[in-house]
DNA sequence: TACGCGTGGAT
DNA sequence: TATCCAAGCGT
């Protein structure tokens, strides 16, 4: 297949349904390699339970394996079945996701479990269309679940696969570009083997994660070395093309640490947006007076406590400078109990579903108080 | 179509 | 330290 990788490669113009000989060996080489050198002992590989596969695939979206393992084990311990997840409170689910990031994944997973109970009678659906119809499951994740749980012949296209394709077939352009992605989906369909769909999907992921890594790929150990165009042309360093980046903006916010009776006040954030559904510290515009804001918003008379240093948290799309302002609540002028406010001891607060930087602040505070005793 | 959405590891 | 980006999806 000579056209692959050229800017106007043939399969974008006239897709060939029949793979060439070299494309057939692509899959079989990968599968053979996977059986011998791939990963087989990850916690979610000990089962074909579609629910377990599903949870793992959602956690692994944009998240590295090492970060997921502990979360996966605790999550499955607490929510071993679709029914148990569907019946859980959102707070309980978010608590298990706290620190893992991309919290819409947790909200969607929870919602989808309830959908499976209502729409599918508690049985995880088996067709690609029905799987992909669940919130939080796109084409690649649906295919991965179908491949691992049901041995179904659907191609995956995640970051690993894109990297392997971009290098092996010398595909130009950033893989996030719709044109490039469309080209890769067509390629993925042609390369899909006739059998061993689970091992093939795992092989692509293992290749991308352990050999065909972003930097310093281990081409010496690669089963595709003899056919890899990037290797042949010495272009593994420049492929795949990287995403064009813009400078990210910086923002500042003041977080109120309202303390009373050895407890701290947490406020539930709106369901969407940054840290949606998590419990967090109240935020005040940094140009405003924190104590005045505490009175106006909550009816609290407060005494300033010694502040501690600014905490900078970097997101993918902006940088946030957090100015913590500890305040001792002396008196509540008005009742302010709502479902979106709770008072917790520091020990309980760090166990709640809170964003990572808030955890850092509360841990610092707890350490300070311990040191004073 | 481009952007919003977290956190941590690697270089 | 700054930057990239990792088993993507929803809007």
């Amino acid at each position: 297949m000579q056209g692959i990788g050229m800017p106007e490669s043939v399969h974008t113009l006239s897709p060939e349904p029949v793979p060439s000989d070299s494309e057939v060996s692509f899959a079989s080489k990968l599968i053979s390699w996977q059986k011998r050198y791939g990963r087989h002992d990850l916690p979610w590989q000990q089962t074909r339970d579609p629910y377990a596969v599903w949870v793992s695939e959602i956690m692994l979206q944009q998240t590295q394996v090492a970060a997921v393992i502990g979360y996966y084990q605790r999550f499955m311990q607490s929510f071993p079945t679709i029914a148990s997840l569907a019946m859980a409170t959102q707070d309980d689910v978010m608590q298990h996701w706290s620190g893992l990031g991309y919290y819409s994944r947790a909200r969607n997973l929870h919602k989808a479990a309830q959908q499976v109970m209502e729409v599918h009678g508690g049985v995880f659906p088996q067709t690609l269309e029905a799987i992909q119809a669940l919130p939080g499951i796109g084409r690649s994740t649906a295919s991965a679940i179908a491949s691992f749980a049901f041995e179904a012949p659907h191609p995956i296209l995640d970051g690993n696969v894109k990297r392997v394709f971009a290098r092996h077939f010398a595909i130009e352009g950033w893989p996030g570009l719709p044109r490039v992605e469309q080209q890769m989906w067509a390629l993925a369909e042609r390369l899909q083997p006739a059998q061993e769909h689970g091992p093939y999907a795992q092989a692509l992921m293992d290749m991308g994660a352990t050999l065909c890594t972003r930097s310093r790929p281990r081409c010496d150990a690669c089963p595709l070395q003899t056919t890899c165009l990037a290797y042949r042309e010495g272009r593994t360093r420049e492929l795949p093309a990287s995403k064009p980046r813009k400078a990210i903006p910086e923002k500042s916010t003041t977080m109120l640490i309202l303390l009373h009776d050895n407890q701290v006040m947490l406020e539930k954030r709106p369901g969407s947006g940054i840290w949606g559904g998590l419990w967090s510290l109240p935020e005040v515009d940094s140009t405003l007076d924190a104590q005045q804001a505490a009175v106006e918003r909550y009816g609290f008379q407060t005494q300033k406590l010694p502040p501690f240093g600014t905490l900078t948290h970097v997101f993918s799309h902006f940088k946030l400078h957090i100015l913590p302002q500890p305040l001792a609540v002396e008196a509540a002028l008005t009742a302010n109990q709502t479902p979106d406010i709770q008072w917790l001891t520091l020990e309980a607060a760090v166990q709640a579903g809170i964003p990572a930087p808030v955890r850092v602040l509360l841990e610092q505070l707890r350490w300070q108080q311990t040191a004073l005793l």
Side-chain angles (χ1 to χ4, degrees):
Chain A
M1 178 45 82
Q2 294 302 315
I4 295 175
M6 305 314 292
E8 299 299 326
S9 57
V10 291
H11 54 269
T12 57
L13 300 176
S14 54
E16 295 180 19
V18 181
S20 68
D21 288 347
S22 75
E23 288 177 354
V24 169
S25 67
F26 179 89
S28 53
K29 281 180 193 167
L30 276 176
I31 292 168
S32 300
W33 172 85
Q34 206 280 332
K35 289 187 189 305
R36 195 158 165 197
Y37 300 107
R39 297 173 294 188
H40 305 92
D41 300 321
L42 297 170
W44 44 88
Q45 292 180 311
Q46 312 308 315
T47 175
R48 281 197 187 182
D49 173 13
Y51 170 64
V53 173
W54 173 30
V55 171
S56 72
E57 288 303 324
I58 299 300
M59 286 191 172
L60 286 161
Q61 287 170 359
Q62 299 288 282
T63 310
Q64 296 184 340
V65 167
V68 164
I69 291 177
Y71 282 89
Y72 173 82
Q73 289 170 331
R74 289 188 296 274
F75 196 94
M76 294 303 289
Q77 185 78 33
S78 297
F79 314 114
T81 63
I82 297 177
S84 64
L85 177 58
M87 286 186 299
T89 65
Q90 176 173 291
D91 270 358
D92 201 4
V93 176
M94 299 312 288
Q95 185 177 337
H96 283 75
W97 214 273
S98 173
L100 194 58
Y102 283 135
Y103 299 97
S104 65
R105 294 185 296 176
R107 299 194 300 271
N108 283 330
L109 187 62
H110 190 210
K111 193 189 308 176
Q114 295 169 342
Q115 211 164 301
V116 171
M117 296 306 293
E118 291 166 14
V119 180
H120 302 287
V123 180
F124 194 84
Q126 300 209 14
T127 69
L128 191 70
E129 293 71 24
I131 296 172
Q132 198 177 334
L134 294 170
I137 303 182
R139 181 173 177 185
S140 187
T141 299
S143 294
I145 296 171
S147 299
F148 294 137
F150 307 128
E151 268 298 322
H154 304 298
I156 60 169
L157 187 63
D158 61 17
N160 287 312
V161 184
K162 286 175 179 174
R163 194 165 50 252
V164 171
F165 282 5
R167 285 184 175 144
H168 187 269
F169 301 104
I171 295 173
E172 309 291 339
W174 175 54
L177 286 174
R179 205 188 99 259
V180 178
E181 194 167 322
Q182 195 179 355
Q183 184 181 350
M184 288 188 171
W185 272 117
L187 187 54
E189 284 174 5
R190 282 219 317 285
L191 293 169
Q192 187 69 24
Q195 52 202 346
E196 303 209 79
H197 306 291
Y200 174 65
Q202 192 63 51
L204 282 168
M205 291 174 169
D206 287 354
M207 268 284 298
T210 66
L211 291 187
C212 200
T213 49
R214 178 167 65 93
S215 58
R216 302 201 322 175
R218 298 173 52 196
C219 300
D220 291 348
C222 181
L224 300 174
Q225 192 200 82
T226 57
T227 50
C228 179
L229 289 182
Y231 179 78
R232 185 183 305 171
E233 299 168 5
R235 301 182 63 207
T236 56
R237 208 168 53 86
E238 61 188 78
L239 291 173
S242 56
K243 174 189 172 82
R245 289 277 177 189
K246 297 178 192 174
I248 62 173
E250 302 193 16
K251 304 177 184 177
S252 291
T253 188
T254 296
M255 283 193 179
L256 302 184
I257 305 179
L258 294 163
L259 295 164
H260 185 66
D261 269 357
N262 209 24
Q263 293 187 317
V264 64
M265 196 186 93
L266 296 184
E267 196 171 34
K268 197 182 181 76
R269 298 183 62 90
S272 59
I274 195 85
W275 298 327
L278 292 185
W279 290 91
S280 188
L281 296 167
E283 282 188 48
V284 173
D285 189 307
S286 290
T287 61
L288 301 179
D289 181 76
Q291 281 183 293
Q292 192 178 336
V295 171
E296 290 174 1
R297 203 184 297 177
Y298 306 109
F300 290 160
Q301 290 286 5
T302 59
Q303 198 78 328
K304 269 192 179 166
L305 294 170
F308 36 108
T310 301
L311 183 70
T312 298
H313 191 75
V314 182
F315 297 90
S316 53
H317 49 306
F318 66 96
K319 183 184 282 193
L320 182 65
H321 302 286
I322 300 171
L323 289 62
Q325 179 51 259
L327 295 173
V329 177
E330 309 238 300
L333 303 178
T334 60
N336 64 81
Q337 284 306 319
T338 78
D340 291 343
I341 286 179
Q342 62 174 338
W343 287 87
L344 296 174
T345 64
L346 290 180
E347 287 69 27
V350 295
Q351 303 288 330
I354 56 176
V358 172
R359 183 182 309 281
V360 170
L361 285 178
L362 295 178
E363 295 279 12
Q364 276 183 21
L365 195 63
R366 190 162 65 144
W367 187 85
Q368 273 186 8
Q369 294 197 342
T370 308
L372 289 177
L373 295 180

